[in-house]
Amino acid sequence: MTYPLLVVTAVAAEAEAVRAGADRGHVVVEPVGVGPAAAAAGTARLLATGRYRAVISAGIAGGFVGRAPVGATVLGARSIAADLGAESPDGFLPVEELGFGTSVLPADPLLFKGLSAALPGAVVGDVLTLATVTGTGATADLLATRFPGAVAEAMEGFGVAVAAAGLPFAELRTISNPIGPRDRAAWRLKEAFAALSTASAALWTACG
């Protein structure tokens, strides 16, 4: 018996873009909600069936200027919960410094290797997960400094990685806008969805 690959997205529009390119005989695509909590709960519910061989968090994202341009495909080497921690007079303290676990989860090495081979033009780096996406240049600059390996920002990857609980996991994003001040008129959603469909055609090959 061949177990399918599960791809979870935040919203239906992203799921439709993935389905448009994916091998529907081997790839199951489901929207699970926006934000890390909804993503973790929805993914855990789906994985509880025990019928999937791996899970990928996919969708559109914001790209760090100079690291991942609009229209690019991004592979997350690590998914990082960038706002999981505490404030302090000296700045943000990640949850590791508080002694309460980890905010960094790496992609499965074999799945990541397969995706990298299948998508040789993808930008590789860390993908940040935030419950509140960035809307100012100051925050974008702060995150870029705190996370020099980060190439993109989204809202679900770390939650999906937690729900994977040992099952092979990876994160795939396409860039619709630069991170910083929110200028919806400048977003390139059509292009990002098209790139997501194109990238999705390689998912089963990478997983197999």
Side-chain angles (χ1 to χ4, degrees), residues 45-61:
R45 174 179 55 81
L46 292 165
L47 293 180
T49 62
R51 63 182 295 253
Y52 298 106
R53 64 186 300 172
V55 58
I56 292 177
S57 176
I60 63 174

Side-chain angles (χ1 to χ4, degrees), residues 14 57-83 122-134 139-140 143-158 171-180 192:
E14 292 170 319
S57 176
I60 63 174
F64 280 94
V65 175
R67 300 179 186 177
V70 172
T73 296
V74 165
L75 292 177
R78 303 185 299 174
S79 296
I80 300 177
D83 52 6
V123 176
V124 174
D126 297 332
V127 179
L128 306 186
T129 298
L130 295 105
T132 301
V133 296
T134 301
T139 300
L143 288 172
T145 300
R146 280 181 55 208
F147 301 101
V151 294
E153 164 190 287
M155 302 180 75
E156 293 81 30
F158 186 82
E171 185 166 5
L172 169 69
R173 298 284 171 179
T174 55
I175 304 303
S176 61
N177 58 279
I179 294 171

